[in-house]
């Protein structure tokens, strides 16, 4: 699969005008369909969990890393986020600090 993606990248960058037009006509629809299926698999269930990433003993809250990565690369106006490291790195635009109000 990586070879196929590499080929599409090189065709989009180095291909002539007719090749890029043919690429747009065929591959964009295929890629958007694939992303829709992937995002549907990772859509939240009734309990707010990702059903595809969750296991009986290890439920994963939505959005999972697949959903977050897709959103950052496909929807976010800023493009892919800067590289974040560590298990508790900030995801998307959510703050890593929680402020509790006195009640």
């Amino acid at each position: 699969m990586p070879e196929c993606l590499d080929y599409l990248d090189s065709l989009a960058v180095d291909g002539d005008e007719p090749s890029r037009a043919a690429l747009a006509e065929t591959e964009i629809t295929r890629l958007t369909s694939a992303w829709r299926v992937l995002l549907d698999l990772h859509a939240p269930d009734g309990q707010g969990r990702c059903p595809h990433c969750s296991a009986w003993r290890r439920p994963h809250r939505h959005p999972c890393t697949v959903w977050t990565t897709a959103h950052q690369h496909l929807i976010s106006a800023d493009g892919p986020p800067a590289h974040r490291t560590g298990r508790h790195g900030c995801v998307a635009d959510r703050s890593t600090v929680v402020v509790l109000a006195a009640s």
Side-chain angles (χ1 to χ4, degrees):
M1 185 61 156
E3 296 85 19
C4 178
L5 295 175
D6 291 342
Y7 170 72
L8 294 174
D9 280 341
S10 67
L11 188 58
V13 172
D14 300 325
D16 59 3
E17 192 86 17
S19 297
R20 288 193 307 240
L23 178 70
E25 289 178 7
T26 59
E27 295 304 315
I28 290 175
T29 302
R30 242 184 69 190
L31 290 172
T32 56
S33 295
W35 274 109
R36 283 188 180 98
V37 169
L38 186 65
L39 291 175
D40 284 346
L41 287 172
H42 293 271
D45 63 12
Q47 298 167 344
R49 297 181 181 139
C50 173
H52 197 74
C53 292
S54 295
W56 179 70
R57 292 181 181 232
R58 292 189 62 145
H60 290 275
R61 300 213 45 86
H62 187 270
C64 65
T65 57
V66 171
W67 185 272
T68 302
T69 301
H71 186 274
Q72 290 169 339
H73 285 273
L74 299 173
I75 298 169
S76 176
D78 297 335
H83 180 67
R84 296 186 175 136
T85 60
R87 181 174 160 195
H88 298 289
C90 181
V91 176
D93 293 320
R94 290 186 283 171
S95 172
T96 57
V97 177
V98 177
V99 178
L100 300 176
S103 33

